[in-house]
């Protein structure tokens, strides 16, 4: 059985290839092949592209830095304008206060009557108890009021620039005779002088 089996296997076995009788394609080289140079244009384009990217990054960086400084300057100006607006608002509030208006009216010679007098428009007659011109008001508008108003204590009156609601303005000075005013805060908080 083994001979039959071998015969059957030989039938299905691949046939051997015929030997290649052709000569190999190898041949000796008469001269060496010239080496191809890289294209110069590709190199120039690559270098110019890298230079353009670096230049664009520098321009963007410079513009961003300039914008940052401009924003910082505008923020500082906005803060200063906000402070100025608040100062002006406080000044207007002080100048429109009843104490300041009464002090200016008193400086002009107007008096406050305890008995009100009205002017009737139909005939122009005064209705109510009128007082003599020499009458003095019971309210001292120029002197110290019941509640002090810090916004107008040193503000001069319209009719008398040398006087204020609390009298003649007095400038606070130290032992050396220099004016004691708070330092300006335009450059930040003041620092003490050391010796």
């Amino acid at each position: 059985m083994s001979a039959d089996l071998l015969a059957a296997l030989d039938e299905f076995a691949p046939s051997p290839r015929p030997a290649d009788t052709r000569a190999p394609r190898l041949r000796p080289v008469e001269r060496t092949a010239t080496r191809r140079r890289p294209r110069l244009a590709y190199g120039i384009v690559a270098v110019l592209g890298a230079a353009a990217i670096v230049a664009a990054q520098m321009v963007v960086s410079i513009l961003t830095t300039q914008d940052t400084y401009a924003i910082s300057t505008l923020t500082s100006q906005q803060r200063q304008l906000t402070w100025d607006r608040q100062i002006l608002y406080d000044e207007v509030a002080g100048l429109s206060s009843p104490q300041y208006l009464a002090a200016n009216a008193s400086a002009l010679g107007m008096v406050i009557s305890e008995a009100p007098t009205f002017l009737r428009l139909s005939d122009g007659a005064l209705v109510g108890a009128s007082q003599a011109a020499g009458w003095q008001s019971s309210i001292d508008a120029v002197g110290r009021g019941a509640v002090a108003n810090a916004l107008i204590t040193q503000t001069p009156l319209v009719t008398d620039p040398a006087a204020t609601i609390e009298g003649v303005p007095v400038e606070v000075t130290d032992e050396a005779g220099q004016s004691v005013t708070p330092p300006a805060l335009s450059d930040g908080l003041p620092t003490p002088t050391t010796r």
Side-chain angles (χ1 to χ4, degrees):
M1 242 191 2
S2 70
D4 289 334
L5 184 59
L6 285 176
L9 285 177
D10 284 339
E11 237 180 75
F12 293 109
S15 61
R17 288 189 182 172
D20 194 10
T21 58
R22 288 186 288 166
R25 298 189 65 173
L26 297 177
R27 60 186 161 87
V29 178
E30 292 93 27
R31 61 183 175 123
T32 60
T34 58
R35 188 171 179 202
R36 290 179 35 189
R37 287 188 354 201
R39 305 245 177 190
L40 186 60
Y42 295 138
I44 291 174
V45 168
V47 169
L48 289 179
I53 290 172
V54 168
Q57 285 180 340
M58 288 177 59
V59 167
V60 168
S61 176
I62 290 170
L63 292 177
T64 303
T65 304
Q66 286 178 344
D67 288 345
T68 302
Y69 285 119
I71 288 172
S72 174
T73 302
L74 291 175
T75 303
S76 174
Q77 289 176 356
Q78 181 182 11
R79 184 181 318 118
Q80 184 64 39
L81 289 174
T82 301
W83 290 341
D84 292 345
R85 185 188 73 197
Q86 184 63 39
I87 289 170
L88 291 174
Y89 178 78
D90 290 345
E91 288 178 3
V92 167
L95 294 176
S96 64
S97 69
Q99 294 159 328
Y100 189 72
L101 295 175
N104 280 310
S106 178
L108 287 172
M110 301 174 89
V111 294
I112 299 172
S113 176
E114 292 182 3
T117 305
F118 301 99
L119 177 64
R120 189 171 40 210
L121 294 178
S122 63
D123 60 354
L126 291 175
V127 178
S130 62
Q131 300 290 333
W135 181 80
Q136 291 293 325
S137 176
S138 61
I139 299 173
D140 185 15
V142 178
R144 184 175 177 106
V147 177
N149 188 346
L151 294 175
I152 58 171
T153 55
Q154 297 299 321
T155 304
L157 297 175
V158 175
T159 56
D160 187 8
T164 63
I165 287 182
E166 293 189 351
V168 179
V170 178
E171 188 172 328
V172 180
T173 59
D174 60 1
E175 295 87 26
Q178 295 178 348
S179 176
V180 178
T181 57
L185 295 177
S186 61
D187 295 330
L189 293 175
T191 56
T193 306
T194 58
R195 300 177 208 260

